[in-house]
Amino acid sequence: MRVFVTGASGWIGSAVVPELIGAGHQVVGLARSGASAATLAEAGAEVRRGTLDDLDTLRSAAADADGVIHLAFKHDIAFSGGFEDAADADRRAIDTFGEVLAGSDRPFLIASGTLGLAPGRVATEQDGQGSGPVGAHLAGGPAKRLANAHMTVALADHGIRSSVVRLPPTVHGDGDHGFLATVVAIAREKGVSGYIRDGANRWPAVHRSDAAHLFRLALESAPAGSTLHAVADEGVPIRTVAEVIGRHLGLPVASVSPDDAPRHFSWLAGFLGMDSTASSARTRELLGWHPTQSGLIDDLDKGHYFATVPKN
């Protein structure tokens, strides 16, 4: 297929692009900078210059494609007080793709998340659908992003083979500058590897390469209206993560009280205290997806998260 990919040079996209090309697909990647364009060209992709706000560019690129994978999200503003604005931009892009692809039976995939979907229990692919109680605790930007996923699934009723791939908060691997790298950076800065309360709360995780493989499988064969979970580790205790970080950095490991967490972990505190496990059993059965890369703890123990100070 000729596949248009937004966020093609990002953390997930830079793994999805070679995965697609390696399987014989032609990739057209959206690039908002010269550096992104150069990265995509070097990977063997065709470059389409523009941003997520250039709806005419998105419309034209989607019209020329056999399928669309929408990975871009304005994380830079989402985690600096502008989550609702980021979710609104995401919705406009999804609306645009939906208009172009309607009635074509072409695949359209978006990335979403599992964090906070069903706190305190294992979330499944069936959770968070429609207007049920799951996800009702969310508000503002996170609630809008969940609504964007609902809207994407509903595009199946308009002749689009739509699907949502939910990613865990930790999509790990060498070169990661996301949540996990931020936790490591905070430990360095504070001189202690911390966790909130007793650290028994858990996060799901997946290696970036395994996530990229699932995006390709979904592009090629996911049924219309599918919700998929790119989850390898169903739930890793945050205290275990903190202990590995402390061992590698030679730092003490300690509990941080909920009252002190915002001061210690900054914006990450609200996420790091969640118990938010997730299963991918239905996804594995539906598409034959089987993660093959290192789990989160094994990947941490490889040491690449500690080799250099992550960029902010």
Side-chain angles (χ1 to χ4, degrees), residues 89-138:
D90 189 44
R91 184 179 185 88
R92 289 191 293 270
I94 293 169
D95 273 334
T96 299
F97 291 134
E99 292 170 4
V100 174
L101 299 175
S104 69
D105 291 322
R106 284 179 280 176
F108 172 46
L109 286 65
I110 74 161
S112 187
T114 66
L115 189 61
L117 186 65
R121 65 174 180 80
V122 179
T124 72
E125 293 87 342
Q126 286 76 29
D127 286 322
Q129 305 290 350
S131 57
V134 174
H137 61 287
L138 299 176

Side-chain angles (χ1 to χ4, degrees), residues 15-16 20 38-39 42 46-47 73 81 84 90 111 118 152 167 181 196 206 251 264 280 310:
V16 170
L20 295 176
T39 298
E42 185 177 354
E46 181 182 326
V47 176
F73 190 77
E84 288 196 51
D90 189 44
T152 301
L167 296 164
I196 300 174
V206 69
L251 296 174
H264 186 93
S280 59

Side-chain angles (χ1 to χ4, degrees), residues 113-119 137-138 142 167-169 179 202-204 270-272 274-276:
T114 66
L115 189 61
L117 186 65
H137 61 287
L138 299 176
L167 296 164
F179 279 175
R202 300 152 295 171
W203 273 13
F271 300 103
L272 199 62
M274 289 184 178
D275 185 50
S276 189

Side-chain angles (χ1 to χ4, degrees), residues 79-278:
F79 297 124
S80 59
F83 206 128
E84 288 196 51
D85 291 336
D88 287 339
D90 189 44
R91 184 179 185 88
R92 289 191 293 270
I94 293 169
D95 273 334
T96 299
F97 291 134
E99 292 170 4
V100 174
L101 299 175
S104 69
D105 291 322
R106 284 179 280 176
F108 172 46
L109 286 65
I110 74 161
S112 187
T114 66
L115 189 61
L117 186 65
R121 65 174 180 80
V122 179
T124 72
E125 293 87 342
Q126 286 76 29
D127 286 322
Q129 305 290 350
S131 57
V134 174
H137 61 287
L138 299 176
K144 285 188 173 184
R145 198 172 189 194
L146 181 59
N148 291 348
H150 293 163
M151 181 175 70
T152 301
V153 170
L155 290 175
D157 295 330
H158 297 274
I160 301 174
R161 187 160 61 80
S162 61
S163 57
V164 173
V165 179
R166 290 176 178 158
L167 296 164
T170 297
V171 182
H172 56 89
D174 194 357
D176 175 21
H177 296 307
F179 279 175
L180 190 58
T182 301
V183 173
V184 173
I186 291 171
R188 275 197 174 100
E189 177 189 350
K190 301 293 185 179
V192 60
S193 182
Y195 53 87
I196 300 174
R197 297 186 182 89
D198 63 0
N201 62 296
R202 300 152 295 171
W203 273 13
V206 69
H207 192 280
R208 181 175 68 140
S209 296
D210 285 325
H213 184 55
L214 179 57
F215 274 102
R216 176 172 70 81
L217 293 178
L219 174 82
E220 294 171 347
S221 59
S226 299
T227 296
L228 308 167
H229 279 188
V231 171
D233 293 317
E234 286 195 1
V236 180
I238 297 300
R239 179 169 182 167
T240 302
V241 173
E243 289 170 346
V244 176
I245 293 172
R247 173 161 47 81
H248 278 270
L249 296 181
L251 296 174
V253 180
S255 172
V256 176
S257 73
D259 289 340
D260 290 337
R263 183 167 56 254
H264 186 93
F265 294 108
S266 185
W267 61 268
L268 190 58
F271 300 103
L272 199 62
M274 289 184 178
D275 185 50
S276 189
T277 57

